[in-house]
Amino acid sequence: GAYAVVENCSFIKCSRMAIEVREGGDLLASNLVIHQCYQGIIAYGGARKITIDNCKIDNIEKEGILLDSCFTNAVADAQAPYCGPRGNEVSQRADEWGKTRRVQLIATISNCAISCCKNFAISADHGSSVQLHCCELKRNLPCSLIVKGKTNLCVSSSKFIFSGIRLKDNLFLQNECGIHVGYNYDGNVEIICNVFCGPSLFSVVQLPDDSNKNMKKIAELTGMWSKPAIFRDNIYFSSKDSDQLPSVDELALRIPGGPCVKPKTAARMKITEDLCRISWTDRSVFPWSSSSQFYYPIGNSVGFNLLDKFIHDSEDTLNIFFGACGDIRNLIATVAAIPDAVSKTCITLNDENLTMLARNVVLLYLSVNSSPDVVLAVWANHGLTEFQGEELFKALSILASSTEDWPEWLVVASGLSEGYSEYLIEIFQAWLGSKLSSTEILKKRHSFMGEEDLSAAIDISVAITGPYYRKDIEHYMNTGSLASTEKIPLVIANVTMMLAPTMQYAVYSTTSIFRVVEWPKSTKHSKGLNLGEAEKVISAALYPQIICSAKSLSDQRVNIRLVPGDIVSLLANESSELVAQNNIAFDFMDCTNVVDYVGLATIVQLCAPLLKKTSNSRLSFESMATFKNWKWAGKNDDGFLPHTLLELPLPCFEQMTGLRVVSTQIFFPKIRNNYIRLLWAPFDRTMYPHQSMEDLEKSVIEYGQKVLSASAIIRTLPMPTPLSVVHLICRSFPEKSVEILSNMMSKEDTSLFKMEVTMHAMIQLNKTPDLVVCTYVASCGFRAISAGTDPLVLVVSLLPLENEIIENPQRLISAFSWDVSMGVARFLFPQLLKETCRNWYITLGAFSSAGILAIGTSALFSSLPTTEAEKNTNIWRK
């Protein structure tokens, strides 16, 4: 790419663009006049960097400045066929050049005046990174600045002058405006110290816009979304006061330290861990949308003391694990029960959703530095009083500054990518930068759920608390607060209810705060209690736990260790940072209701190596969805465990894992939304009624055949995955694992996973053949709609597959990494076999009730890019 400097030039009446930058180009443009041209300065197709300073651009037919980087996500790719190709052959070739090299366009625009452009003064799209500083943008149609497509933008010390007039035939904008934030996904937009002159309603228009019904409907159908912009210290004038506007130089003096656009931090598990995934890969209908994944700031079960009847008999540190932890209900109930004799406790908190971990940190920080009523308000309420809001934002300002300011009782697992700490800070900063009022967040809350959801949520909690608390529950759903708001009004939004850093409102509509405690069984108040009685019950149960937790944290008897990530990958992979220092196992482990997603057997066998082999140790988890469906089918409680183990005899499973069931407890047995909690404990297998190896092998082969049967996967969910069977067998029969797996796959219906199962068994035995990592672009587009949340699978076939039910697949692959934004799968494959299968096809499919549905575009094996797999491909923990 060339580097060009263009200074002190005029471009008048150019029939096309004044300046074009593409294919690695780097431009410095200063002191230019661009007048009455078709386009001003355009940068696209792999342009790397442009700097524009002190330029005047006016009366342009199209864009004054067009900034078009090379990022596209799954929804953009799906729309591409309907938009048509860009321009001529040269433009199309440049676009392909930039996309192939994943070039990001970085643009700095300063001290420029841009006016009277007929198709945006500045358009920034497709992942550009843009800083706009000290510029004046005046009377441009349909707006002065449009940003979309995952673009990072910082606008500072600039003036936007617009009329707000009604526009004709414009799908996206109904009125001329200053800045339009289109569907920008998780791109960061900061608007700092600017002046807007015109109708204030149209200063900045952001999508989704509830007033634009057409665009709102399109967004709902396609999954497009946008992270709200962050505003700070902007000034607004009406059009009649245009002669009173401050200069851009005066605006620049108001910014301490100057503007800064922060790059998006990617925090996720390593791809190599996904390649050996023991759980099914599945994503919601629109995986590129943050709001397609519900955010559960409040859990759905009664707070549980994990220590049970624990007796401390050691001076060692007590190690406790909360996996997929959700909120802090189980944590504070457990900490409050730690005996005084325990001098040090390390609690590991895990959740795949970093927003959930960030919210828990906020609640624990407030428990130490504020009062229990503030903690409960931030935990439960959507709206906060002025004092509660001040306490919350005081905590956020400290947590958002740097990790050096974090309390000593809080650490992020040291071996993890530093990106996790940065990402947590980005979450705190996003909450800190929000200026939502309590009214605005309640509006989002009510628009997110329909009347049926509202009514159902109320009825569920009334069934648990009793009818006498209905007034409180209805009040909570309508006002977003447990407390009566008459005396002290709610004025500030509880921003921790927003999925950050994208700041989407994606909260499951629930009254589950009423399920945090067990309720009095008295029925004497049949006509209903006064408003506020429910809050008293919850406060009486939680305040002592909050106070006790605060003291333990401040005294540093308890420290909190954050380990973000997918719980199954962390439990399975020997190299993960789940286990505390010196490879110490856990005294107590809780995995909430993960079994509803990956199966009971999977969780037990993955936790078994990590649980201390002592009589005190316990593994706890719950089943909500699976147990509820079992009960709704009219089945009895005794049959639930055999059902979830696919009829694998419980004594056989216990002997293979070294854990046995010691307690089962059913909560809310008289209502439809009940659930079961199971406690497991280590035991001495030599003291257990002996199962012969022949019986164990026979039982596990029958179990594995059910798991490997594609028809069984279609019928019953959640199902263990083929690799979970490999894990169980390699752990229980290390010397005979390949032989047992071979016998297991003797049936035709179970041989579909033969290649994958055999390959991963060899990996675990350190007998790995030469492996490659294949990259497959699924290009499923809107066909992903048909997949819903069904498990995804890669299908190997002799012929390409259309969007159809697959009749005769040759092989299936269940374990692969899945880039949900780009629709790209990466999977392990034997090098030798790839050459043999070079004329076969790979296709993304999804298990559905009708069979395996092809949702991806078929690709020849010979066309797949490959890289050599790491020699020490992930070894599972055994």
Side-chain angles (χ1 to χ4, degrees):
Y3 172 66
V5 178
V6 184
E7 296 180 313
N8 304 313
C9 296
S10 295
F11 298 82
I12 312 295
K13 295 185 178 180
C14 299
S15 60
R16 297 183 65 194
M17 70 289 298
I19 300 175
E20 178 186 61
V21 187
R22 53 181 166 84
E23 294 172 269
D26 185 340
L27 170 70
L28 171 60
S30 64
N31 300 307
L32 306 183
V33 173
I34 302 176
H35 176 68
Q36 288 188 347
C37 298
Y38 183 74
Q39 285 179 299
I41 300 173
I42 71 169
Y44 71 100
R48 294 187 184 278
K49 183 178 180 181
I50 69 168
T51 303
I52 304 172
D53 181 60
N54 197 31
C55 295
K56 181 180 180 181
I57 304 172
D58 66 356
N59 289 282
I60 306 299
E61 190 66 26
K62 291 292 185 180
E63 300 91 349
I65 299 174
L66 173 66
L67 308 170
D68 196 13
S69 196
C70 299
F71 172 84
T72 59
N73 61 10
V75 69
D77 289 338
Q79 293 168 344
Y82 305 99
C83 300
R86 178 206 292 275
N88 56 29
E89 185 178 342
V90 173
S91 300
Q92 294 171 31
R93 189 170 63 243
D95 278 340
E96 190 61 33
W97 187 95
K99 287 179 181 178
T100 302
R101 291 161 178 78
R102 303 284 293 167
V103 177
Q104 184 184 33
L105 172 59
I106 299 174
T108 303
I109 305 168
S110 58
N111 304 301
C112 293
I114 310 175
S115 62
C116 301
C117 298
K118 296 179 181 178
N119 194 40
F120 311 115
I122 301 172
S123 173
D125 199 356
H126 292 135
S128 302
S129 179
V130 183
Q131 290 200 31
L132 181 72
H133 185 58
C134 288
C135 293
E136 181 174 315
L137 294 86
K138 181 177 180 180
R139 297 291 166 83
N140 299 285
L141 293 174
C143 69
S144 286
L145 172 59
I146 180 172
V147 54
K148 56 191 178 77
K150 200 179 170 73
T151 291
N152 286 338
L153 169 73
C154 181
V155 186
S156 60
S157 306
S158 296
K159 292 198 290 189
F160 294 84
I161 301 171
F162 54 95
S163 67
I165 60 171
R166 186 77 176 178
L167 301 172
K168 295 181 180 179
D169 303 322
N170 192 299
L171 179 64
F172 296 92
L173 286 170
Q174 298 176 334
N175 297 80
E176 180 194 336
C177 65
I179 299 175
H180 175 50
V181 181
Y183 292 110
N184 199 38
Y185 306 100
D186 58 348
N188 296 311
V189 176
E190 296 178 274
I191 302 172
I192 305 167
C193 292
N194 300 285
V195 163
F196 293 92
C197 182
S200 59
L201 183 63
F202 306 120
S203 298
V204 180
V205 175
Q206 302 186 74
L207 293 180
D209 179 8
D210 290 339
S211 65
N212 192 333
K213 295 182 179 179
N214 290 332
M215 282 310 303
K216 186 177 180 181
K217 186 173 183 180
I218 291 172
E220 289 171 353
L221 290 172
T222 59
M224 296 186 292
W225 63 281
S226 187
K227 174 181 175 179
I230 292 175
F231 298 86
R232 189 164 74 245
D233 300 327
N234 297 291
I235 309 172
Y236 301 88
F237 290 83
S238 65
S239 299
K240 65 181 181 180
D241 298 323
S242 58
D243 58 338
Q244 301 178 25
L245 305 185
S247 68
V248 292
D249 291 333
E250 290 172 323
L251 291 173
L253 294 174
R254 300 178 64 226
I255 300 182
C260 178
V261 177
K262 295 180 181 177
K264 171 77 174 161
T265 303
R268 62 181 309 278
M269 300 302 295
K270 295 178 181 178
I271 284 178
T272 52
E273 296 182 356
D274 290 339
L275 296 177
C276 300
R277 183 189 293 274
I278 288 183
S279 59
W280 289 108
T281 297
D282 64 80
R283 287 296 181 265
S284 52
V285 175
F286 301 113
W288 47 83
S289 167
S290 69
S291 58
S292 70
Q293 192 172 10
F294 275 129
Y295 166 45
Y296 298 91
I298 305 173
N300 282 306
S301 58
V302 175
F304 175 62
N305 164 25
L306 189 56
L307 301 189
D308 193 28
K309 299 174 183 178
F310 166 67
I311 301 173
H312 185 60
D313 56 4
S314 170
E315 295 182 359
D316 294 337
T317 298
L318 186 64
N319 283 286
I320 302 174
F321 171 70
F322 291 99
C325 60
D327 65 16
I328 61 172
R329 64 182 60 200
N330 291 346
L331 186 151
I332 62 173
T334 300
V335 171
I338 296 175
D340 294 337
V342 178
S343 60
K344 192 67 176 178
T345 300
C346 176
I347 295 179
T348 298
L349 281 188
N350 156 260
D351 205 286
E352 187 172 23
N353 190 330
L354 268 76
T355 305
M356 193 70 251
L357 290 181
R359 179 171 146 89
N360 287 344
V361 169
V362 171
L363 292 173
L364 293 174
Y365 185 90
L366 287 171
S367 73
V368 175
N369 296 282
S370 189
S371 56
D373 60 303
V374 172
V375 175
L376 181 57
V378 176
W379 187 354
N381 298 345
H382 280 70
L384 303 174
T385 66
E386 186 174 356
F387 173 74
Q388 293 164 352
E390 288 174 355
E391 291 290 280
L392 170 60
F393 280 91
K394 189 191 303 179
L396 288 174
S397 65
I398 293 172
L399 295 170
S401 55
S402 75
T403 54
E404 294 179 359
D405 295 321
W406 288 2
E408 293 185 12
W409 48 261
L410 175 65
V411 294
V412 178
S414 58
L416 291 174
S417 164
E418 292 182 2
Y420 282 120
S421 296
E422 295 172 7
Y423 198 84
L424 285 167
I425 286 177
E426 191 174 339
I427 291 170
F428 296 136
Q429 288 175 340
W431 282 335
L432 187 63
S434 173
K435 301 302 179 186
L436 278 176
S437 67
S438 58
T439 303
E440 289 171 311
I441 198 170
L442 282 177
K443 182 181 177 182
K444 288 179 177 291
R445 181 177 190 255
H446 289 310
S447 66
F448 195 74
M449 60 185 181
E451 289 298 322
E452 291 184 5
D453 293 333
L454 177 66
S455 177
I458 291 172
D459 289 342
I460 288 171
S461 286
V462 167
I464 293 169
T465 65
Y468 16 92
Y469 294 102
R470 177 177 283 275
K471 286 181 182 178
D472 276 312
I473 296 169
E474 290 178 344
H475 171 80
Y476 175 76
M477 292 304 285
N478 289 322
T479 67
S481 174
L482 285 173
S484 172
T485 59
E486 294 177 1
K487 295 181 179 179
I488 307 177
L490 306 177
V491 294
I492 297 174
N494 182 0
V495 290
T496 69
M497 291 288 187
M498 303 285 281
L499 186 66
T502 58
M503 295 304 287
Q504 296 295 296
Y505 188 85
V507 178
Y508 178 65
S509 52
T510 180
T511 55
S512 56
I513 190 63
F514 293 95
R515 271 167 270 177
V516 71
V517 301
E518 295 194 59
W519 289 82
K521 293 183 170 57
S522 171
T523 58
K524 63 182 180 180
H525 303 287
S526 57
K527 294 183 180 180
L529 299 171
N530 295 327
L531 206 60
E533 293 299 316
E535 184 188 18
K536 293 179 182 178
V537 175
I538 295 173
S539 301
L542 296 184
Y543 281 9
Q545 296 177 1
I546 294 170
I547 292 168
C548 184
S549 298
K551 188 174 189 314
S552 295
L553 291 170
S554 60
D555 292 345
Q556 295 190 44
R557 290 181 59 236
V558 172
N559 62 46
I560 304 296
R561 183 171 172 269
L562 303 181
V563 184
D566 170 54
I567 181 175
V568 174
S569 295
L570 288 166
L571 289 170
N573 294 311
E574 199 169 59
S575 60
S576 77
E577 290 295 322
L578 179 62
V579 178
Q581 62 276 9
N582 302 321
N583 206 35
I584 297 173
F586 294 104
D587 297 276
F588 297 92
M589 301 181 71
D590 179 57
C591 296
T592 59
N593 67 322
V594 176
V595 297
D596 287 331
Y597 301 92
V598 302
L600 182 146
T602 303
I603 280 297
V604 175
Q605 69 195 51
L606 289 175
C607 288
L610 288 165
L611 189 65
K612 277 186 182 177
K613 305 303 183 283
T614 67
S615 59
N616 278 327
S617 300
R618 293 290 184 272
L619 165 65
S620 165
F621 53 77
E622 301 152 354
S623 175
M624 295 180 177
T626 309
F627 183 71
K628 180 176 68 176
N629 293 337
W630 175 256
K631 294 292 289 183
W632 284 9
K635 305 297 179 68
N636 61 49
D637 299 342
D638 294 338
F640 177 70
L641 263 176
H643 164 70
T644 54
L645 289 172
L646 303 179
E647 307 306 326
L648 173 63
L650 181 60
C652 291
F653 181 69
E654 290 179 333
Q655 188 161 336
M656 284 189 284
T657 59
L659 297 179
R660 62 187 175 93
V661 181
V662 294
S663 171
T664 60
Q665 184 179 6
I666 297 172
F667 287 79
F668 315 129
K670 296 182 180 180
I671 68 169
R672 288 171 64 86
N673 285 72
N674 52 15
Y675 65 94
I676 188 170
R677 178 178 286 135
L678 296 99
L679 284 181
W680 299 65
F683 70 99
D684 185 351
R685 283 184 271 191
T686 61
M687 303 297 292
Y688 200 81
H690 186 64
Q691 302 284 325
S692 69
M693 292 302 294
E694 290 78 12
D695 289 341
L696 287 177
E697 287 182 27
K698 181 181 177 181
S699 296
V700 81
I701 286 173
E702 291 176 355
Y703 165 74
Q705 286 176 337
K706 291 177 182 177
V707 174
L708 296 179
S709 168
S711 58
I713 297 170
I714 292 165
R715 287 196 308 270
T716 309
L717 291 174
M719 284 288 293
T721 65
L723 293 201
S724 71
V725 176
V726 178
H727 177 273
L728 180 63
I729 292 173
C730 287
R731 185 173 186 273
S732 305
F733 310 95
E735 301 301 324
K736 300 183 66 177
S737 55
V738 175
E739 177 187 340
I740 293 173
L741 287 167
S742 178
N743 293 334
M744 188 182 297
M745 294 180 290
S746 58
K747 291 184 178 181
E748 183 178 351
D749 191 32
T750 61
S751 65
L752 291 173
F753 293 101
K754 184 174 183 178
M755 182 277 298
E756 177 181 52
V757 165
T758 304
M759 178 183 69
H760 283 279
M762 299 298 284
I763 290 173
Q764 301 311 310
L765 295 173
N766 292 316
K767 299 178 181 179
T768 313
D770 290 335
L771 300 175
V772 292
V773 178
C774 302
T775 300
Y776 158 60
V777 181
S779 302
C780 48
F782 292 136
R783 283 177 291 180
I785 294 172
S786 57
T789 55
D790 294 331
L792 301 180
V793 67
L794 296 177
V795 182
V796 180
S797 61
L798 294 173
L799 297 172
L801 303 171
E802 301 296 333
N803 189 17
E804 59 188 359
I805 299 297
I806 301 168
E807 299 291 342
N808 297 304
Q810 301 301 117
R811 291 287 184 265
L812 299 176
I813 300 173
S814 67
F816 53 94
S817 72
W818 178 238
D819 186 328
V820 298
S821 177
M822 304 305 298
V824 173
R826 293 179 177 85
F827 59 95
L828 286 172
F829 210 76
Q831 173 69 55
L832 185 61
L833 194 54
K834 183 177 185 294
E835 295 301 320
T836 305
C837 302
R838 59 181 294 103
N839 293 322
W840 290 18
Y841 289 85
I842 188 85
T843 311
L844 181 69
F847 286 106
S848 69
S849 58
I852 302 175
L853 178 67
I855 61 172
T857 301
S858 296
L860 269 171
F861 260 90
S862 59
S863 69
L864 301 181
T866 61
T867 56
E868 185 178 348
E870 295 180 11
K871 291 298 181 184
N872 297 321
T873 303
N874 278 21
I875 303 297
W876 296 325
R877 201 186 312 274
K878 303 183 187 68

